[in-house]
Amino acid sequence: MNILRAHPAQSELLTLRQAIVETGRIAYERGHLTANDGNISTRLPGERILITPAGLCKGRLAPEDLLIVDMNGRLLIPAADPSLRPTSEQPMHLEVYRQRPDVHAVLHAHPAFATALTVANKPLRNDVLPEVIMLLGDIPITDYATPSSQENADVIRELIRTHDALVLRQHGSLTVGRTLDEALITLDRLEHVAKVLALAEMMGQVTPWPLKI
Ligand SMILES: [Zn+2]
């Protein structure tokens, strides 16, 4: 489809489809989405959500692989391949949109260092790098929930009301934003901080940054 000749509404939808594809490609290449892990969604007008399918690698999606569901998870528009189903983490995505009218994009990933900290039962400290407290604030770690279950929607419900980044215990991350780019940048920053913390722990000492306020 030629984006310049498309109907305006279709053009906007195609742009969002392409933005999800691009977000998946970048997150996959950055190592935040291993194998066919992770899922991405964005709001559409009319209480609808554009969301990634289950089972496909998010680094190699095509715009027509995405599906449109309503806020109850009912499939409104299937993918070009009718056998594709929405991600099994759809309940978690829908819960974010219910709790946060300001959020237009949701990104669930499996970043290695952020996840490893929870496996080692260590907090994501916010007193080590100034960018954490300035740009991310407090990053809570949820209770453990079985991946791909309704439990994930339950454990994020309270925390996502007041945070744009969560670490899902022994599972992965959940970052949200007004745009897909914001959700991706927050994921990148979260994983960078977790990596620095993990490396510092391995080197033997984590030094808090000197607070000068
Ligand atoms: Zn997951």
Side-chain angles (χ1 to χ4, degrees):
M1 180 188 289
N2 182 335
I3 191 169
L4 297 176
R5 297 180 64 184
H7 182 275
Q10 282 186 321
S11 147
E12 188 183 345
L13 176 58
L14 179 59
T15 300
L16 289 171
R17 285 179 180 271
Q18 290 168 333
I20 286 186
V21 170
E22 181 72 353
T23 301
R25 187 186 63 75
I26 294 170
Y28 179 77
E29 288 179 355
R30 299 275 293 151
H32 301 326
L33 303 169
T34 306
N36 58 8
D37 296 344
N39 24 79
I40 309 165
S41 68
T42 190
R43 267 189 209 275
L44 297 176
E47 296 286 288
R48 298 175 304 156
I49 305 296
L50 182 66
I51 196 162
T52 51
L56 295 188
C57 172
K58 308 311 173 297
R60 296 189 294 275
L61 288 173
E64 60 271 21
D65 291 333
L66 307 178
L67 310 96
I68 298 177
V69 298
D70 69 13
M71 288 295 286
N72 295 311
R74 277 189 294 264
L75 183 61
L76 299 177
I77 300 180
D81 175 350
S83 69
L84 292 177
R85 290 286 169 261
T87 168
S88 56
E89 295 290 10
Q90 178 176 263
M92 179 169 65
H93 287 245
L94 296 177
E95 191 61 39
V96 174
Y97 293 117
R98 283 189 205 102
Q99 300 299 331
R100 293 283 300 275
D102 59 313
V103 160
H104 285 256
V106 176
L107 172 51
H108 164 53
H110 288 182
F113 285 94
T115 309
L117 283 175
T118 72
V119 173
N121 205 23
K122 292 186 179 294
L124 207 61
R125 291 174 57 163
N126 65 5
D127 62 342
V128 177
L129 297 176
E131 68 206 63
V132 180
I133 205 72
M134 288 173 183
L135 298 169
L136 288 175
D138 176 37
I139 305 167
I141 298 172
T142 69
D143 292 336
Y144 179 76
T146 307
S148 304
S149 73
Q150 174 63 33
E151 287 174 31
N152 266 323
D154 297 338
V155 297
I156 62 110
R157 185 171 297 121
E158 294 291 326
L159 292 170
I160 203 64
R161 288 178 189 161
T162 48
H163 298 84
D164 290 344
L166 305 179
V167 181
L168 311 178
R169 185 174 294 281
Q170 293 177 251
H171 178 180
S173 64
L174 180 67
T175 57
V176 304
R178 289 168 297 180
T179 63
L180 286 158
D181 211 37
E182 275 191 3
L184 179 61
I185 286 170
T186 301
L187 166 62
D188 240 352
R189 202 179 300 286
L190 164 71
E191 177 63 348
H192 173 72
V193 169
K195 188 174 183 178
V196 170
L197 273 173
L199 290 171
E201 292 267 2
M202 280 191 265
M203 291 172 188
Q205 189 175 354
V206 176
T207 310
W209 62 292
L211 193 61
K212 295 176 183 169
I213 296 176

